[in-house]
Amino acid sequence: DIDRNGQINTADLTLLMAGRGEEVSDFDARDPDRNLLINANDSRQCALLCTLPQCAVQQGCGIGFELALALVPIMLVRGRRRHGAPQH
């Protein structure tokens, strides 16, 4: 998981291949075969570990942060009405 987002996908493969031909340190996440060189073998090993089929990028959880934030006041009002809180 090169970008450290909890999944292995095309974003990781892109980051890996951007460094193709680079010599790297012993602990570089882009070098899973630990030969200290980023190459096609590293890309293949990474692809075999993909989280989703075809190394797809997992989409967000739904409505998005901005919309969820906009809905908070509405949910608070509805909650007060359900629980019999006085309305102003």
Side-chain angles (χ1 to χ4, degrees):
D1 183 19
I2 296 168
D3 59 9
R4 299 179 187 199
N5 68 349
Q7 55 184 311
I8 297 174
N9 55 38
T10 54
D12 297 295
L13 292 172
T14 300
L15 290 170
L16 188 151
M17 292 313 294
R20 191 172 186 173
E22 264 182 52
E23 292 184 13
V24 295
S25 68
D26 193 31
F27 299 102
D28 195 307
R30 300 172 299 167
D31 186 29
D33 67 3
R34 301 288 180 239
N35 69 350
L36 306 180
L37 180 69
I38 298 175
N39 57 29
N41 292 334
D42 299 312
S43 178
R44 177 71 180 142
Q45 283 188 358
C46 188
L48 291 172
L49 299 172
C50 284
T51 307
L52 297 174
Q54 300 175 341
C55 276
V57 175
Q58 186 172 358
Q59 298 302 312
C61 62
I63 62 175
F65 178 74
E66 292 84 6
L67 182 55
L69 193 58
L71 292 175
V72 168
I74 295 168
M75 300 308 289
L76 289 174
V77 169
R78 286 185 179 176
R80 285 187 202 131
R81 287 182 185 162
R82 275 194 205 133
H83 299 305
Q87 298 176 19
H88 299 285

